[in-house]
Amino acid sequence: MKNKSTLFLVQAALIGAVYVVLTLVFAPFSYGEVQVRVSEALTILPYFTPAAVPGLFVGCIIANILGGGIPVDIIFGSIATLIGAVFTYQLRNSSKWLAPVPPIVANAVIVPFVLYYGYGVNLPIPLMMLTVGAGEVVSCGVFGMILLTALSKYKDTIFGRQVSAR
């Protein structure tokens, strides 16, 4: 595609759609105080393309709505994914091993407050930070890094030559 804004929009839409599908397909693991949201592996994609930032944000909003989330979860859970995606994009010229760190930290810090105050989960917030953080380590740190490694070889073909990541 020669039109960069069209390419950006298509990439963002596809990433958002894949995020929604993965979240809903793996719904039993995607929600709750102990969660491994497989779709969070996609939060490494801003390492390759800025289109992933809005794609992940909108995909998370839609997944949280379709998953029956309350407004606080829809808003703040999606903001956690947005923060993770933005900072992953900011780190794109750093070591690839830093790519999963922002979404892990953002979700481990924000989601426990949503669970506690929004859903009334009666567990200590620090404990939920550990459980949500552990799930994020699995989804972003393990699955995400596998995805990053697999996509690295084909990044120019998949995402275009806009990529300056190592």
Short mmCIF file of all heavy atoms in Angstrom, two decimals, residues 52-87:
data_model
loop_
_atom_site.label_atom_id
_atom_site.label_comp_id
_atom_site.label_asym_id
_atom_site.label_seq_id
_atom_site.Cartn_x
_atom_site.Cartn_y
_atom_site.Cartn_z
N ALA A 52 -0.07 -0.24 16.17
CA ALA A 52 -0.48 -1.16 17.22
C ALA A 52 -1.02 -0.42 18.45
O ALA A 52 -1.84 -0.97 19.18
CB ALA A 52 0.68 -2.05 17.63
N VAL A 53 -0.59 0.81 18.66
CA VAL A 53 -1.01 1.55 19.86
C VAL A 53 -2.53 1.77 19.85
O VAL A 53 -3.22 1.32 20.77
CB VAL A 53 -0.21 2.86 20.03
CG1 VAL A 53 -0.76 3.67 21.20
CG2 VAL A 53 1.28 2.56 20.22
N PRO A 54 -3.10 2.43 18.84
CA PRO A 54 -4.56 2.56 18.85
C PRO A 54 -5.28 1.23 18.64
O PRO A 54 -6.37 1.02 19.17
CB PRO A 54 -4.85 3.54 17.71
CG PRO A 54 -3.66 3.45 16.81
CD PRO A 54 -2.50 3.13 17.70
N GLY A 55 -4.66 0.34 17.88
CA GLY A 55 -5.29 -0.98 17.66
C GLY A 55 -5.47 -1.74 18.95
O GLY A 55 -6.55 -2.30 19.20
N LEU A 56 -4.45 -1.78 19.77
CA LEU A 56 -4.54 -2.48 21.05
C LEU A 56 -5.53 -1.80 21.99
O LEU A 56 -6.30 -2.47 22.68
CB LEU A 56 -3.16 -2.57 21.71
CG LEU A 56 -2.15 -3.47 21.01
CD1 LEU A 56 -0.75 -3.22 21.54
CD2 LEU A 56 -2.54 -4.93 21.19
N PHE A 57 -5.51 -0.48 22.01
CA PHE A 57 -6.41 0.28 22.89
C PHE A 57 -7.87 0.02 22.53
O PHE A 57 -8.68 -0.36 23.39
CB PHE A 57 -6.07 1.77 22.81
CG PHE A 57 -6.94 2.65 23.66
CD1 PHE A 57 -7.04 2.45 25.03
CD2 PHE A 57 -7.65 3.69 23.10
CE1 PHE A 57 -7.82 3.28 25.83
CE2 PHE A 57 -8.44 4.53 23.88
CZ PHE A 57 -8.53 4.31 25.24
N VAL A 58 -8.20 0.17 21.27
CA VAL A 58 -9.59 -0.05 20.83
C VAL A 58 -9.97 -1.52 20.97
O VAL A 58 -11.08 -1.85 21.40
CB VAL A 58 -9.79 0.46 19.38
CG1 VAL A 58 -11.17 0.07 18.85
CG2 VAL A 58 -9.60 1.97 19.32
N GLY A 59 -9.04 -2.42 20.65
CA GLY A 59 -9.32 -3.85 20.81
C GLY A 59 -9.61 -4.20 22.26
O GLY A 59 -10.52 -4.99 22.54
N CYS A 60 -8.87 -3.61 23.18
CA CYS A 60 -9.11 -3.87 24.61
C CYS A 60 -10.45 -3.31 25.05
O CYS A 60 -11.17 -3.96 25.82
CB CYS A 60 -7.96 -3.27 25.43
SG CYS A 60 -8.02 -3.75 27.17
N ILE A 61 -10.79 -2.13 24.58
CA ILE A 61 -12.11 -1.56 24.91
C ILE A 61 -13.21 -2.51 24.45
O ILE A 61 -14.12 -2.85 25.21
CB ILE A 61 -12.30 -0.17 24.26
CG1 ILE A 61 -11.39 0.87 24.92
CG2 ILE A 61 -13.76 0.28 24.33
CD1 ILE A 61 -11.34 2.20 24.19
N ILE A 62 -13.14 -2.94 23.21
CA ILE A 62 -14.18 -3.81 22.65
C ILE A 62 -14.21 -5.15 23.39
O ILE A 62 -15.29 -5.66 23.72
CB ILE A 62 -13.97 -4.01 21.13
CG1 ILE A 62 -14.19 -2.68 20.41
CG2 ILE A 62 -14.90 -5.10 20.58
CD1 ILE A 62 -13.76 -2.68 18.96
N ALA A 63 -13.04 -5.72 23.67
CA ALA A 63 -12.99 -7.00 24.39
C ALA A 63 -13.58 -6.87 25.79
O ALA A 63 -14.30 -7.77 26.26
CB ALA A 63 -11.54 -7.50 24.48
N ASN A 64 -13.32 -5.75 26.46
CA ASN A 64 -13.87 -5.56 27.80
C ASN A 64 -15.39 -5.33 27.76
O ASN A 64 -16.10 -5.79 28.65
CB ASN A 64 -13.16 -4.40 28.51
CG ASN A 64 -11.76 -4.78 28.96
OD1 ASN A 64 -11.42 -5.95 29.02
ND2 ASN A 64 -10.96 -3.79 29.26
N ILE A 65 -15.87 -4.65 26.73
CA ILE A 65 -17.32 -4.47 26.58
C ILE A 65 -17.99 -5.81 26.31
O ILE A 65 -18.95 -6.20 26.98
CB ILE A 65 -17.65 -3.46 25.47
CG1 ILE A 65 -17.23 -2.05 25.89
CG2 ILE A 65 -19.13 -3.51 25.10
CD1 ILE A 65 -17.28 -1.02 24.76
N LEU A 66 -17.47 -6.55 25.32
CA LEU A 66 -18.06 -7.84 24.96
C LEU A 66 -17.91 -8.88 26.06
O LEU A 66 -18.72 -9.81 26.15
CB LEU A 66 -17.44 -8.35 23.65
CG LEU A 66 -17.73 -7.52 22.40
CD1 LEU A 66 -16.99 -8.09 21.20
CD2 LEU A 66 -19.22 -7.42 22.13
N GLY A 67 -16.89 -8.72 26.89
CA GLY A 67 -16.68 -9.65 28.01
C GLY A 67 -17.53 -9.31 29.22
O GLY A 67 -17.42 -9.97 30.25
N GLY A 68 -18.36 -8.29 29.12
CA GLY A 68 -19.26 -7.94 30.22
C GLY A 68 -18.62 -7.06 31.28
O GLY A 68 -19.08 -7.03 32.42
N GLY A 69 -17.58 -6.34 30.92
CA GLY A 69 -16.90 -5.49 31.89
C GLY A 69 -17.76 -4.32 32.32
O GLY A 69 -18.62 -3.84 31.59
N ILE A 70 -17.51 -3.86 33.54
CA ILE A 70 -18.18 -2.67 34.05
C ILE A 70 -17.46 -1.44 33.50
O ILE A 70 -16.30 -1.54 33.05
CB ILE A 70 -18.22 -2.67 35.59
CG1 ILE A 70 -16.81 -2.68 36.18
CG2 ILE A 70 -19.04 -3.86 36.11
CD1 ILE A 70 -16.75 -2.51 37.69
N PRO A 71 -18.10 -0.27 33.52
CA PRO A 71 -17.47 0.92 32.94
C PRO A 71 -16.07 1.22 33.49
O PRO A 71 -15.18 1.59 32.72
CB PRO A 71 -18.45 2.05 33.28
CG PRO A 71 -19.78 1.36 33.31
CD PRO A 71 -19.50 0.00 33.91
N VAL A 72 -15.86 1.03 34.78
CA VAL A 72 -14.53 1.28 35.35
C VAL A 72 -13.49 0.36 34.72
O VAL A 72 -12.37 0.80 34.42
CB VAL A 72 -14.56 1.09 36.89
CG1 VAL A 72 -13.18 1.09 37.49
CG2 VAL A 72 -15.43 2.15 37.54
N ASP A 73 -13.84 -0.88 34.49
CA ASP A 73 -12.93 -1.84 33.87
C ASP A 73 -12.71 -1.50 32.40
O ASP A 73 -11.58 -1.53 31.91
CB ASP A 73 -13.49 -3.25 34.01
CG ASP A 73 -12.52 -4.34 33.55
OD1 ASP A 73 -11.33 -4.03 33.34
OD2 ASP A 73 -12.95 -5.49 33.43
N ILE A 74 -13.78 -1.16 31.72
CA ILE A 74 -13.67 -0.81 30.31
C ILE A 74 -12.72 0.37 30.14
O ILE A 74 -11.85 0.36 29.26
CB ILE A 74 -15.06 -0.51 29.70
CG1 ILE A 74 -15.92 -1.78 29.71
CG2 ILE A 74 -14.94 0.07 28.30
CD1 ILE A 74 -17.39 -1.54 29.47
N ILE A 75 -12.85 1.36 30.99
CA ILE A 75 -12.02 2.56 30.89
C ILE A 75 -10.59 2.31 31.37
O ILE A 75 -9.62 2.47 30.62
CB ILE A 75 -12.65 3.72 31.68
CG1 ILE A 75 -13.97 4.13 31.04
CG2 ILE A 75 -11.69 4.91 31.77
CD1 ILE A 75 -14.85 5.02 31.90
N PHE A 76 -10.45 1.90 32.63
CA PHE A 76 -9.11 1.83 33.21
C PHE A 76 -8.32 0.59 32.77
O PHE A 76 -7.10 0.65 32.65
CB PHE A 76 -9.17 1.94 34.74
CG PHE A 76 -9.56 3.31 35.18
CD1 PHE A 76 -10.85 3.58 35.62
CD2 PHE A 76 -8.64 4.35 35.14
CE1 PHE A 76 -11.22 4.85 36.01
CE2 PHE A 76 -8.99 5.63 35.53
CZ PHE A 76 -10.30 5.88 35.97
N GLY A 77 -9.01 -0.52 32.52
CA GLY A 77 -8.32 -1.69 31.98
C GLY A 77 -7.75 -1.40 30.60
O GLY A 77 -6.63 -1.78 30.27
N SER A 78 -8.53 -0.66 29.81
CA SER A 78 -8.08 -0.29 28.47
C SER A 78 -6.96 0.74 28.53
O SER A 78 -6.03 0.71 27.73
CB SER A 78 -9.25 0.23 27.65
OG SER A 78 -10.25 -0.76 27.55
N ILE A 79 -7.04 1.65 29.49
CA ILE A 79 -5.96 2.63 29.67
C ILE A 79 -4.66 1.93 30.06
O ILE A 79 -3.58 2.33 29.62
CB ILE A 79 -6.38 3.72 30.68
CG1 ILE A 79 -7.41 4.65 30.03
CG2 ILE A 79 -5.16 4.50 31.18
CD1 ILE A 79 -8.02 5.67 30.97
N ALA A 80 -4.75 0.88 30.87
CA ALA A 80 -3.55 0.12 31.23
C ALA A 80 -2.89 -0.46 29.98
O ALA A 80 -1.66 -0.39 29.82
CB ALA A 80 -3.89 -1.00 32.22
N THR A 81 -3.70 -1.01 29.08
CA THR A 81 -3.15 -1.55 27.84
C THR A 81 -2.59 -0.43 26.97
O THR A 81 -1.52 -0.58 26.36
CB THR A 81 -4.24 -2.35 27.08
OG1 THR A 81 -4.59 -3.47 27.90
CG2 THR A 81 -3.74 -2.85 25.74
N LEU A 82 -3.27 0.72 26.93
CA LEU A 82 -2.78 1.86 26.17
C LEU A 82 -1.43 2.34 26.71
O LEU A 82 -0.50 2.59 25.92
CB LEU A 82 -3.80 3.00 26.21
CG LEU A 82 -3.38 4.31 25.52
CD1 LEU A 82 -3.17 4.09 24.03
CD2 LEU A 82 -4.42 5.40 25.78
N ILE A 83 -1.31 2.47 28.02
CA ILE A 83 -0.04 2.91 28.62
C ILE A 83 1.07 1.93 28.27
O ILE A 83 2.17 2.33 27.87
CB ILE A 83 -0.19 3.06 30.15
CG1 ILE A 83 -1.09 4.25 30.48
CG2 ILE A 83 1.17 3.19 30.83
CD1 ILE A 83 -1.52 4.32 31.93
N GLY A 84 0.78 0.64 28.40
CA GLY A 84 1.77 -0.37 28.05
C GLY A 84 2.19 -0.27 26.59
O GLY A 84 3.39 -0.35 26.26
N ALA A 85 1.23 -0.07 25.70
CA ALA A 85 1.53 0.02 24.27
C ALA A 85 2.35 1.27 23.94
O ALA A 85 3.31 1.20 23.17
CB ALA A 85 0.23 0.00 23.46
N VAL A 86 1.99 2.40 24.53
CA VAL A 86 2.72 3.64 24.27
C VAL A 86 4.18 3.52 24.72
O VAL A 86 5.09 3.89 23.98
CB VAL A 86 2.04 4.84 24.97
CG1 VAL A 86 2.94 6.06 25.01
CG2 VAL A 86 0.71 5.17 24.29
N PHE A 87 4.39 2.98 25.90
CA PHE A 87 5.77 2.86 26.39
C PHE A 87 6.56 1.78 25.66
O PHE A 87 7.77 1.90 25.49
CB PHE A 87 5.80 2.69 27.91
CG PHE A 87 5.58 4.00 28.62
CD1 PHE A 87 4.33 4.31 29.14
CD2 PHE A 87 6.61 4.92 28.74
CE1 PHE A 87 4.11 5.52 29.78
CE2 PHE A 87 6.40 6.14 29.37
CZ PHE A 87 5.15 6.45 29.90
#
